[in-house]
Amino acid sequence: MPETVWHAELAWLGDQVAVDVLIKADGERFTSVTPGVPAPPGARRLRGLTLPGLADAHSHAFHRALRGRAQTGGGTFWTWREQMYAIAGRLDPQSCFALARGVYAEMALAGISCVGEFHYLHHGAGGRPYDQPNAMGAALIAAAAEAGIRITLLDACYLAGGIGRPLAGPQLRFGDGSADAWAARAGALHKAEEGTSHARVGAAIHSVRAVPREHLQVVAAWAADRGVPLHVHLSEQPAENEECERAYGMSPTRLLDEGGALGPRTVAVHATHLGDDDIALLGATATGVCMCPTTERDLADGIGPARELVRAGSPMSLGSDQHAVIDLFEEARAVELDDRLRTRRRGHWRTGELLAAATADGHSALGWPDAGRLAPGQYADLVTVALDSVRLAGTEASFVAEAVVFAATAADVRDVVVSGREIVRDGRHQLVTDVPGTLHAAIRSVTSG
């Protein structure tokens, strides 16, 4: 593959914004990144601020079908969950692929080069396995390939409908019967995808509500043996904490630690309702935390202690989760803005910290530590944000990173490159020609009737 050359008007290089940056790649990796260089003939010009590709560390692709529908009326997280179950009950591998293809193309248009898909919709109606037991997971991986982004499929163990309660209704599709059966199925998917350039398979514990105490260690050991990420929904709702305390006499965080599930390859998603001891334990084990502010506010979950967790030693990543919107700039600024509401004080996060959460730290959380930076040897991912929209007009180089984090939206993304391949050019997806039409058709197929 011939060398590719871009010239960025402005580029964020991890600690500063540089001017006139010459970027070269050989295949899927950057070979050089040099600031202060005039554009040579033939270089692809990138006008605006160029960032590393963004990482969406927590996604449930099929939840995208709920956008708008879940906003009618009031309710709680638990009533929203019933709407989600209704969509889950209608999907099959074909409709799952079509919907995910549209969602991942929408992500590419928003500058996302890698997604962490927290996947628990494994089986057919009533929990009956498909002829190919990993047909649903394979559909998600294929959808990411067609949309042009990388994926870490976080295959979730989901065995119970709550602590001490069996799976029922649509939940039956999520379960494998035991952690050992989950490990066998997930292991087959992991083996099948070895060597796939755009995909990796990790593990997930859906939650301490869904995985009984005696099964936690099996999932944790599976991930450790393979050196892959392990993600878990943690303390998203006070009811989860209360149920865990009643059943086990400890918090969900402490229960996960007892099961060997915490550590540097683990990411706690949400982590909204934590005690001081929980925060200290997550930090001491270097367990990461994925904040999903647009979902946490949409579902009225609450505001998590993100600053305290990072201060304790937990790296932070960002996710769009149920896709109320797909916009990593909104997720990044919401971390700061939510903390302002919580404390009535400004300035909790440096702009560079928020950008790192959306880029390098997000990729590391998904098992791609060699992505998320504009540097030689890294995956050749980049996203250019135009500065001529009504949101960013008047932006100067001295505060361009702040303007992008606190005012840009996904609509300002103009160019996206993933693994050296141009996926979005001038705001148009190069592989999925009609992303809105694709989404419309896919959503209608699982919501009509």
Side-chain angles (χ1 to χ4, degrees):
M1 189 173 181
E3 181 181 64
T4 308
V5 181
W6 301 272
H7 188 268
E9 179 183 16
L10 300 164
W12 184 67
L13 300 184
D15 55 356
Q16 63 179 345
V17 173
V19 179
D20 288 330
V21 181
L22 188 65
I23 304 170
K24 297 182 179 181
D26 183 4
E28 64 180 15
R29 303 276 181 168
F30 291 126
T31 55
S32 66
V33 178
T34 311
V37 177
R44 172 83 168 94
R45 302 293 292 273
L46 302 173
R47 300 190 182 280
L49 177 65
T50 296
L51 305 166
L54 309 178
D56 190 333
H58 189 68
S59 163
H60 301 291
F62 78 89
H63 292 191
R64 173 64 177 82
L66 291 168
R67 187 183 296 178
R69 288 174 174 80
Q71 314 304 324
T72 58
T76 66
F77 167 86
W78 306 102
T79 55
W80 168 88
R81 191 176 71 157
E82 294 306 312
Q83 294 177 289
M84 180 269 288
Y85 284 163
I87 297 295
R90 297 172 183 165
L91 287 161
D92 58 25
Q94 292 72 36
S95 57
C96 178
F97 166 80
L99 181 54
R101 178 174 178 265
V103 173
Y104 297 155
E106 182 181 358
M107 287 184 180
L109 289 171
I112 293 163
S113 58
C114 187
V115 61
E117 183 62 32
F118 196 108
H119 168 55
Y120 53 82
L121 185 52
H122 300 305
H123 304 299
R128 185 180 304 108
Y130 291 105
D131 291 341
Q132 298 294 327
N134 285 301
M136 296 293 270
L140 293 163
I141 290 170
E146 291 216 2
I149 68 173
R150 293 195 304 277
I151 183 171
T152 297
L153 188 82
L154 299 157
D155 194 293
C157 185
Y158 196 131
L159 303 174
I163 297 176
R165 296 190 297 277
L167 297 173
Q171 293 175 334
L172 292 168
R173 301 190 65 182
F174 309 159
D176 290 293
S178 69
D180 288 335
W182 167 84
R185 182 188 51 72
L189 182 61
H190 181 270
K191 184 175 181 180
E193 296 300 331
E194 282 183 322
T196 303
S197 62
H198 82 288
R200 293 177 182 173
V201 175
I205 293 167
H206 178 272
S207 60
V208 299
R209 292 182 291 108
V211 180
R213 182 183 201 170
E214 62 271 21
H215 294 280
L216 293 173
Q217 195 164 14
V218 174
V219 185
W222 187 97
D225 289 346
R226 291 161 178 79
V228 299
L230 171 63
H231 288 214
V232 54
H233 293 128
L234 177 64
S235 294
E236 185 176 3
Q237 292 289 320
E240 174 185 325
N241 293 349
E242 295 161 5
E243 192 175 358
C244 188
E245 288 281 0
R246 284 195 303 269
Y248 302 123
M250 64 184 74
S251 71
T253 302
R254 183 64 63 182
L255 184 66
L256 290 169
D257 184 53
E258 177 194 84
L262 301 185
R265 283 191 303 273
T266 299
V267 174
V269 181
H270 302 305
T272 308
H273 302 282
L274 300 178
D276 291 342
D277 289 346
D278 298 325
I279 293 170
L281 181 53
L282 291 169
T285 55
T287 299
V289 58
C290 180
M291 308 306 290
C292 307
T294 65
T295 289
E296 288 144 11
R297 70 191 183 202
D298 182 70
L299 299 182
D301 288 344
I303 300 170
R307 182 73 271 178
E308 291 87 344
L309 282 160
V310 171
R311 190 179 294 121
S314 294
M316 183 177 70
S317 54
L318 301 171
S320 59
D321 193 359
Q322 56 119 356
H323 312 310
V325 296
I326 294 176
D327 189 334
L328 264 288
F329 302 114
E330 176 63 22
E331 304 292 349
R333 64 173 156 265
V335 173
E336 165 67 25
L337 298 181
D338 285 354
D339 272 348
R340 293 181 186 184
L341 288 174
R342 182 167 63 99
T343 65
R344 293 182 292 173
R345 182 171 58 82
R346 304 176 78 207
H348 297 269
W349 299 87
R350 298 188 307 276
T351 300
E353 290 181 290
L354 298 175
L355 285 173
T359 56
D361 292 342
H363 282 95
S364 291
L366 297 177
W368 304 84
D370 45 357
R373 298 176 179 85
L374 299 180
Q378 292 272 298
Y379 276 92
D381 302 341
L382 55 83
V383 51
T384 299
V385 180
L387 303 177
D388 56 359
S389 72
V390 293
R391 291 166 292 279
L392 296 171
T395 297
E396 298 175 8
S398 60
F399 56 82
V400 65
E402 288 74 16
V404 166
V405 168
F406 286 97
T409 73
D412 296 313
V413 170
R414 288 294 174 268
D415 299 288
V416 179
V417 172
V418 181
S419 297
R421 183 185 185 191
E422 188 175 63
I423 302 302
V424 176
R425 182 166 189 160
D426 296 329
R428 297 189 65 84
H429 203 291
Q430 302 299 290
L431 306 179
V432 182
T433 56
D434 180 9
V435 178
T438 297
L439 284 164
H440 177 78
I443 292 169
R444 285 290 300 273
S445 74
V446 297
T447 57
S448 60

